[in-house]
Amino acid sequence: MDRDEALTPAALPPSVGTGRPLPLRVAAPLAVAAGLALLVAFPPYGVWPLAPVGVAMLAAAAHRRRLRAGAGLGFLTGVAFFGPLLAWTNLHTGYLPWVLLSLLQAGYLALLGAATAWVSPLADRVRWAWPVLTGLLWVGQEALRDRTPFGGFPWGRLAFSQDTSPLLRLAALGGVPLVTFAVALVGGLLVTAVWRGWAAARRTPQDDASHAGGPPGDTPARRWAPVAVPALVAVALTAGSLLVPVATAGSGATVTVAIVQGNVPRLGLDFNAQRQAVLNNHVDATIELAGRVAAGQERQPDLVVWPENSSDIDPLRNPAAGARISQAADTVHAPILVGAVLLGPGPGQVRNAGILWRPGTGADMGQLYTKRHPVPFAEYVPLRDIARKVSKQVDLIRSDFVPGSTPGVVRAGPAVLGDVICFEVAYDDVVRDTVTGGAQLLVVQTNNATFDVAEARQQMAMVRLRAVEHGRPALMASTVGVSGFVAPDGRVSDATGFNTREVVVRQLRLDDGRTLATRLGWWPEVTLAALAVAALVGAAVLRRRQRVMPE
C-alpha cells in the first residue's frame, strides 16, 4: 500500500466506495493555498468568505491520509497562514522571534491535520459527519492553542476573521468558539459538496445502477443531491445568521467618552526612550480637547481614555508625571483612564496598569487594574537562561511584568468600565470576567507603536467580536492607532488613522444586560472540545474494528 493511502475499510457503504486520498502533488499545493486563503480572510484584507474556503482546502488535503502526511499538510497550511499573519512581530525585533512564533503556531495546525486524517474513516462512514467533525476539530485545536504554552496565543482564531460577516452575530449566542465552529462547519459543508461533486462527475450510469439496485441511468437526481444539499446548507447557515438578534445600542444611561490618541515621536521598540514626550503628547492633546469644549466645539466628556503606555513614567512615584496628568484631568474636568507602567510591587518588577485619574484628587488607587495576562517573551521572559541562548534580545526586557489577580472592573463615576489591555482582548475569560463583574462599557487600552496597521486592524476585529459577544458598547484606545468606538452590533465609528495624533469624542449608551454567550461562559467551548475528543475516540474504535474485520 502507498504510504499516503488511508487504511481503506472493507465494509464502507457502497455510496462511499474505496476511495484514496488526493495525490500528494495536489494535496501539498492545496494545503499551502488553504493557509493563504485563511490569511486573506483576516484584516487588513478582510475577505471573510475565504476563511471557510481555507478550512475546506485543508480538510480535503488531509482526508484519508496517514497521520504523518496529515500533520505535514497541516503544518504547510500553518506556515502559509501564520508566517504572513504575524509578520508585524518582526518589524523591530529581527526575524528569529517571528519565525519561532510562526512555527510554533503552525505546529497546532499540524496537529489539526493529523486529527483530520485520523477521523477520515468516521467522515466516510457517516454521511453528514465530515462537516461536523471539521467544526469540532477546529474548536478543539483553538482551545489547545489558546492555552499552551505559557497561557497560549489566541491570535488568528477563525472567529476573528468574521468581523464583517453575518456569522459574527453568532458570538452573542456562544462567543468565539461558536463562531469558529460555524466557520469551520461551513468549510466542512463546502468540502463535502465539492468532494461528492467530483465523485458524482466521475460516476458512470452502471455505477448508479449498482448503487441503486436498478437499471442503468435511473438515478441522475440522486447522484447530485449529496452535492446540492451541503452547499445549500452552507449558504443557509451563513445567511441565516443575520436572523440572530443583537443589540444595536445600549439600553442604559448615556455618557460622552473621549479617546485620546497622542501618538509617539517615532515607531519602534524605542518609542518609550522618549517617555516624557509620549506623556506630553497625551496631556497636550487632552488640554486641546478641553479648549474645544470650552469653545463649544465639542461635548463635555464624562470620561477620557488614554491608551496603554501613555505614561511609561510611573506617575505614582514621579511627582512631575503625576502633576502633568492632574493638569490634564483638571483642565478637561473629567476622569482619565491612564495606561501606565507602575514600578513594583517587588524589586525588579513592574506592572502594566490602567489607573483612574480624577480631577481635583488625582490617582484613585481603588480603581486600578493590573494586566492579568502579560505577554511571554515581550513583557516577561519565562526560562530566561534558555531563551537567552536562542536570542540575546530577551535581555531588552530587564524587568518582568507581574500579572494582576482581579478583573479589570473600573468604576469611573458615570460608567463601569471593563478594562483589558492590549492582547488580553483575544482571551475569552479576561474579557468576560469584566462583564460578569458589572462592566457596562468595554475598554481596550493598547499600544501599537511597536507593530503596524495590520496588527492594529486585527485587534480592532477582536474588539468588534467582543462587543457583539457581550452586547456592550466598546472602544479601543491606541497610542498610534487604530482607535475607535464599536457599537454592540459590531459597527465601528470614528476610527482613527495610523501613526497620527487624534482625539475622538462620542456619546455612548451603556448596557447592563447579559447575552446568552455571557451567561454560558466557557460551556460552549467545553462542550464542542469534548465532542472533538469523543470524535477522535470514535475514530479509534472504528479503525480498530476495521483492522480485525476479515477480508
Side-chain angles (χ1 to χ4, degrees):
M1 179 180 292
D2 188 273
R3 291 183 63 86
D4 284 331
E5 283 189 33
L7 295 175
T8 304
L12 284 177
S15 60
V16 174
T18 56
R20 295 185 176 187
L22 293 175
L24 193 58
R25 66 179 181 277
V26 174
L30 194 64
V32 174
L36 297 177
L38 291 171
L39 170 68
V40 177
F42 282 77
Y45 314 103
V47 188
W48 61 264
L50 287 181
V53 172
V55 169
M57 288 178 174
L58 176 57
H63 188 54
R64 295 175 177 166
R65 309 208 85 86
R66 291 184 178 273
L67 297 186
R68 184 181 301 175
L73 293 168
F75 189 74
L76 285 178
T77 298
V79 170
F81 172 43
F82 284 112
L85 184 77
L86 303 178
W88 44 265
T89 62
N90 78 348
L91 293 177
H92 308 288
T93 60
Y95 289 103
L96 187 59
W98 164 55
V99 170
L100 292 178
L101 179 61
S102 300
L103 293 179
L104 174 63
Q105 300 308 303
Y108 288 92
L109 289 196
L111 292 177
L112 175 64
T116 301
W118 179 256
V119 300
S120 296
L122 196 58
D124 281 337
R125 177 171 287 274
V126 182
R127 180 177 294 272
W128 285 101
W130 201 357
V132 176
L133 289 170
T134 303
L136 294 176
L137 293 180
W138 270 94
V139 173
Q141 173 265 140
E142 288 188 359
L144 182 64
R145 188 167 68 85
D146 299 348
R147 292 167 174 82
T148 59
F150 310 116
F153 187 69
W155 216 269
R157 299 166 78 179
L158 284 181
F160 294 149
S161 68
Q162 302 297 297
D163 59 318
T164 58
S165 162
L167 296 175
L168 179 70
R169 289 173 167 254
L170 295 177
L173 303 180
V176 175
L178 183 60
V179 179
T180 285
F181 176 75
V183 175
L185 179 65
V186 171
L189 289 165
L190 293 179
V191 71
T192 300
V194 173
W195 193 281
R196 290 177 176 173
W198 176 251
R202 300 180 64 188
R203 192 178 300 160
T204 66
Q206 287 74 22
D207 292 331
D208 290 336
S210 64
H211 293 162
D218 68 344
T219 57
R222 290 179 59 189
R223 176 191 302 182
W224 291 102
V227 179
V229 171
L232 291 174
V233 173
V235 173
L237 175 61
T238 304
S241 299
L242 291 171
L243 301 177
V244 176
V246 295
T248 56
S251 57
T254 299
V255 297
T256 301
V257 182
I259 300 173
V260 175
Q261 178 180 301
N263 210 5
V264 300
R266 58 181 177 270
L267 299 174
L269 287 179
D270 63 345
F271 80 94
N272 60 0
Q274 300 185 46
R275 297 177 298 168
Q276 187 65 57
V278 175
L279 174 58
N280 287 341
N281 283 356
H282 289 84
V283 170
D284 294 344
T286 304
I287 292 175
E288 291 170 8
L289 168 63
R292 293 197 298 275
V293 170
Q297 298 171 349
E298 286 284 7
R299 293 188 181 93
Q300 168 63 47
D302 300 301
L303 171 70
V304 177
V305 179
W306 288 4
E308 177 191 26
N309 296 123
S310 50
S311 180
D312 274 358
I313 305 171
D314 185 346
L316 302 180
R317 303 197 182 203
N318 187 301
R324 288 244 65 194
I325 299 173
S326 291
Q327 179 189 7
D330 294 345
T331 305
V332 80
H333 304 296
I336 302 174
L337 183 65
V338 179
V341 174
L342 306 179
L343 301 179
Q349 295 179 329
V350 290
R351 290 168 289 164
N352 192 346
I355 182 170
L356 195 68
W357 211 275
R358 298 187 185 276
T361 58
D364 185 344
M365 298 303 296
Q367 304 304 320
L368 184 153
Y369 168 61
T370 300
K371 187 176 183 179
R372 295 168 61 191
H373 205 297
V375 180
F377 303 103
E379 293 178 312
Y380 76 100
V381 182
L383 310 174
R384 186 180 286 268
D385 290 341
I386 297 175
R388 187 179 292 114
K389 296 178 181 179
V390 177
S391 173
K392 294 188 181 301
Q393 291 200 13
V394 299
D395 289 327
L396 292 174
I397 306 169
R398 298 183 179 88
S399 300
D400 286 338
F401 283 79
V402 295
S405 58
T406 57
V409 179
V410 178
R411 289 170 171 79
V416 181
L417 311 179
D419 187 22
V420 296
I421 298 177
C422 200
F423 287 7
E424 287 187 320
V425 69
Y427 295 88
D428 298 346
D429 57 334
V430 175
V431 180
R432 179 178 179 270
D433 286 348
T434 69
V435 177
T436 57
Q440 302 165 309
L441 169 64
L442 299 178
V443 174
V444 179
Q445 296 178 286
T446 188
N447 172 28
N448 307 112
T450 55
F451 304 124
D452 62 11
V453 68
E455 183 271 347
R457 290 180 178 172
Q458 290 164 17
Q459 203 167 24
M460 179 60 84
M462 301 179 197
V463 180
R464 299 179 71 174
L465 188 143
R466 297 305 182 190
V468 175
E469 179 180 16
H470 298 293
R472 292 287 188 280
L475 65 87
M476 185 165 92
S478 169
T479 48
V480 299
V482 176
S483 304
F485 296 96
V486 181
D489 62 358
R491 288 177 295 118
V492 178
S493 302
D494 302 309
T496 65
F498 188 77
N499 196 20
T500 60
R501 177 166 146 178
E502 298 189 47
V503 176
V504 289
V505 182
R506 190 170 187 84
Q507 280 190 322
L508 303 174
R509 188 173 291 277
L510 305 177
D511 206 309
D512 294 301
R514 295 190 179 184
T515 63
L516 180 61
T518 305
R519 293 195 296 269
L520 290 175
W522 66 334
W523 283 110
E525 184 176 47
V526 169
T527 302
L528 293 170
L531 289 173
V533 173
L536 294 173
V537 173
V541 172
L542 182 58
R543 283 171 170 266
R544 180 178 177 83
R545 289 178 178 174
Q546 291 168 359
R547 282 197 297 267
V548 301
M549 190 175 295
E551 296 291 339

